[in-house]
Amino acid sequence: MTADQSQDVEETQYEEERPRMVSRWVLLTAVPAWLVSLVVHLAVVLLMFLFIVDDSMRNQRTVTINDASDAEEIEEFVMEEFEPIDMQTLEFDTPPDQPEDAIVTDEIVFSDFNEMEAATMQQDLADFADETAPASDLMSELAGVDGNATAGRGQASRTQMLREGGGTGASEEAVVYGLKWLAEHQMPNGMWSFDHRKGARKPGSKNWGSIDGPKGATAMALLPFLGAGHTHKEGKYKKEVEAGLKALISQMKVRGDMGDLTESGGSMYSHGLGTITLCEAYAMTQDKQLLLPAQAALNFVTYAQDPVGGGWRYQPRQPGDTSVVGWQVIGLKSGQMGYLNVNKNTVAGAIKFLDGVQAEGGAFYGYSSPGKGKSTTAIGLLSRMYLGWKKENPALEKGVEFLSKSGPDKTNMYYNYYATQVMRQYGGPKWEAWNEAMRDQLVATQVKQEQPEAGSWYFNGSHASKGGRLYDTSLSVLTLEVYYRHLPIYKQAASEEEFPL
């Protein structure tokens, strides 16, 4: 190849490369430096975002709920012939070795809930007030300083409400002795058991239960103390209440912002009872150490609700039954009275469930379908009252008339507990007649002081055989506390009180 030919080839290659060289020069010199930097940084940010999302998806937490398939279904209670407690012939096995006195420590510190997220730990009462405060605060002349629906449990208010509601010195004395029996059967770890022998400081009380549900037993035993104004801050039994609350909270399974109190022997029954207990204790004391456990229990109620029918049963998200629903509704109401966060959709779901099991426009209620059971009707009507039904509602009037004609049961304290609250809240001559019969029946059937079971109750109902003397005693004391345990719903501005929907 000649020199001229070589030069021609080089010039041709240069002409072919020249446009690409010009483009690179324009990119590097003509385009502003800030634009190049922006493009580079955007690319880096995009890569980081993709990495974080992928990592978070790999580490996403899954809530696991213990299988409660072995929970036993509780059907309608069966009336059985009543035999006075002091006339019964009771069998008694040799109890286990008796423990030392139940409460041995002076100072008990609540769990600080370190497992819950830091953001949740910063929540304060004020964070919930604007959205969840009751419309009327359940205020009345008896509401006291704090305006809380539990304000009637204070000494001065309790005496006044006892007198006005139809209580007597004998009924209040029965409460005192009932609490004494419960305190004497608390276990050393602060819990209670339906097999009350496990906590007995003095042996001799017969008719122990068979349900393996210490969380439910502890909550059920604590509620009568709270109902009479005893908290972990004040009262004769503050050590017992403090130990019980601490033990119950220590048994809570915390996952994220939810606290699970279910157990194999009690399932959602135990959780509902525990939720009521924690929310009432918080509402009465405003102790910030109870805020998170109470709110966590409410959050689990919301999680466990059947997303289709709106009810609750033994396992979370299972189609509901009225018996389990009643405890959850009262738990939600207790949370609202303490100005805790109650999910509006959860409340709407509960109303939907009640609509599905009601009969004759809401005057009667069935178990898992429309019906007219006594216990389920009492539960349904009380739930309706707490969910906002007015006293003048025709279905409520009809249901109250049904309960009034049925009267208190001789053996079924579960029915008596709910029906007494319905009649008390409704008031009037029907309540006065009911109260006289129910009050005098409980005073007469409490075991007398000269006997080993002094201060307790036990009836021969089918359900009592499983819950035992602890179950019947707790419900009996709560029933005798009906005069002051909650302020009247249908009194002055309180008639406007309902869940915010």
Side-chain angles (χ1 to χ4, degrees):
M1 179 182 296
T2 64
D4 291 338
Q5 290 175 327
S6 178
Q7 182 176 0
D8 290 340
V9 170
E10 291 176 358
E11 288 178 357
T12 300
Q13 293 175 343
Y14 173 78
E15 289 300 322
E16 292 176 351
E17 291 290 335
R18 188 171 183 275
R20 290 192 288 272
M21 294 171 61
V22 171
S23 297
R24 286 195 296 271
W25 180 86
V26 171
L27 177 64
L28 297 174
T29 61
V31 177
W34 63 267
L35 184 57
V36 175
S37 175
L38 177 63
V39 172
V40 172
H41 281 81
L42 284 174
V44 172
V45 170
L46 180 60
L47 289 172
M48 291 177 64
F49 174 78
L50 292 173
F51 173 81
I52 292 172
V53 170
D54 181 65
D55 183 68
S56 65
M57 291 181 68
R58 286 195 304 268
N59 291 283
Q60 187 175 11
R61 291 182 296 178
T62 301
V63 176
T64 302
I65 305 300
N66 288 343
D67 181 22
S69 59
D70 56 343
E72 184 173 356
E73 179 172 327
I74 300 178
E75 299 294 347
E76 285 294 313
F77 299 127
V78 179
M79 287 183 59
E80 297 181 12
E81 185 176 353
F82 174 71
E83 183 180 3
I85 185 69
D86 57 349
M87 300 295 293
Q88 293 179 20
T89 302
L90 307 173
E91 296 180 357
F92 180 60
D93 294 337
T94 303
D97 293 336
Q98 302 302 317
E100 297 294 330
D101 283 353
I103 309 304
V104 296
T105 58
D106 291 329
E107 293 295 329
I108 299 175
V109 181
F110 289 112
S111 167
D112 60 4
F113 263 54
N114 287 330
E115 295 182 56
M116 299 187 79
E117 297 177 1
T120 309
M121 294 288 287
Q122 301 303 315
Q123 290 178 330
D124 193 80
L125 181 64
D127 296 336
F128 305 123
D130 291 341
E131 191 171 16
T132 64
S136 70
D137 227 8
L138 283 182
M139 287 293 287
S140 72
E141 292 100 337
L142 303 177
V145 179
D146 60 2
N148 189 293
T150 62
R153 304 177 189 190
Q155 182 60 52
S157 296
R158 186 165 73 245
T159 301
Q160 181 181 350
M161 295 183 71
L162 183 73
R163 185 186 307 113
E164 292 181 351
T168 63
S171 69
E172 194 65 1
E173 183 180 53
V175 169
V176 170
Y177 286 126
L179 294 178
K180 183 175 183 292
W181 186 90
L182 288 170
E184 290 174 347
H185 290 82
Q186 185 177 24
M187 294 191 292
N189 64 0
M191 302 286 282
W192 275 266
S193 172
F194 287 113
D195 182 353
H196 59 256
R197 296 173 297 172
K198 296 180 179 179
R201 302 182 198 177
K202 293 187 292 186
S205 286
K206 309 170 185 66
N207 305 107
W208 46 89
S210 59
I211 299 174
D212 181 20
K215 298 176 189 176
T218 299
M220 184 165 272
L222 282 171
L223 283 173
F225 290 101
L226 297 173
H230 298 278
T231 71
H232 62 290
K233 295 292 188 182
E234 62 182 10
K236 177 181 178 180
Y237 294 107
K238 64 181 180 182
K239 284 178 62 176
E240 285 82 356
V241 174
E242 188 172 27
L245 289 172
K246 182 203 172 192
L248 186 63
I249 292 170
S250 72
Q251 296 297 309
M252 180 179 279
K253 302 168 188 172
V254 180
R255 298 180 179 90
D257 64 351
M258 295 189 299
D260 177 0
L261 287 169
T262 60
E263 55 190 343
S264 60
S267 192
M268 285 300 295
Y269 277 102
S270 294
H271 184 81
L273 284 162
T275 301
I276 299 167
T277 300
L278 294 176
C279 289
E280 283 197 7
Y282 175 70
M284 293 175 69
T285 64
Q286 297 294 291
D287 187 339
K288 297 298 177 67
Q289 294 183 86
L290 292 174
L291 171 61
L292 289 177
Q295 185 62 59
L298 288 169
N299 293 345
F300 188 81
V301 171
T302 293
Y303 165 79
Q305 187 176 36
D306 170 22
V308 178
W312 293 267
R313 205 166 187 176
Y314 309 123
Q315 300 180 42
R317 306 204 168 199
Q318 185 181 14
D321 71 62
T322 303
S323 183
V324 179
V325 165
W327 294 116
Q328 315 310 314
V329 168
I330 296 175
L332 293 171
K333 188 64 179 181
S334 300
Q336 188 218 15
M337 291 188 301
Y339 298 95
L340 294 166
N341 187 18
V342 176
N343 188 288
K344 297 177 182 180
N345 291 331
T346 305
V347 175
I351 294 173
K352 178 182 179 182
F353 172 83
L354 292 171
D355 290 343
V357 296
Q358 71 180 16
E360 298 188 26
F364 306 98
Y365 295 84
Y367 185 69
S368 56
S369 59
K372 295 184 179 181
K374 281 201 324 181
S375 295
T376 50
T377 293
I379 296 168
L381 292 176
L382 184 64
S383 298
R384 291 294 198 184
M385 287 175 157
Y386 280 151
L387 292 167
W389 268 19
K390 307 302 182 186
K391 184 176 181 179
E392 298 76 18
N393 189 302
L396 179 58
E397 294 177 352
K398 187 173 182 179
V400 167
E401 178 68 21
F402 168 72
L403 297 181
S404 177
K405 289 181 177 179
S406 299
D409 196 286
K410 296 296 185 181
T411 62
N412 189 345
M413 277 309 302
Y414 189 65
Y415 160 72
N416 289 338
Y417 167 73
Y418 274 104
T420 299
Q421 293 181 82
V422 172
M423 302 305 292
R424 160 63 171 156
Q425 294 294 356
Y426 194 79
K430 290 183 175 65
W431 156 245
E432 293 171 4
W434 176 283
N435 174 58
E436 183 176 355
M438 185 77 263
R439 178 198 66 204
D440 294 350
Q441 175 181 310
L442 287 176
V443 170
T445 54
Q446 186 179 35
V447 181
K448 303 302 183 280
Q449 290 307 299
E450 61 272 13
Q451 299 182 50
E453 301 88 358
S456 66
W457 286 265
Y458 180 75
F459 303 102
N460 289 326
S462 59
H463 196 48
S465 64
K466 298 175 183 177
R469 191 171 292 274
L470 181 87
Y471 169 87
D472 270 339
T473 299
S474 297
L475 289 179
S476 296
V477 174
L478 287 169
T479 300
L480 288 173
E481 292 172 348
V482 72
Y483 312 106
Y484 47 76
R485 186 168 171 237
H486 291 127
L487 295 183
I489 295 175
Y490 302 124
K491 184 171 182 178
Q492 296 183 2
S495 63
E496 300 300 320
E497 169 63 14
E498 59 184 63
F499 277 107
L501 288 177

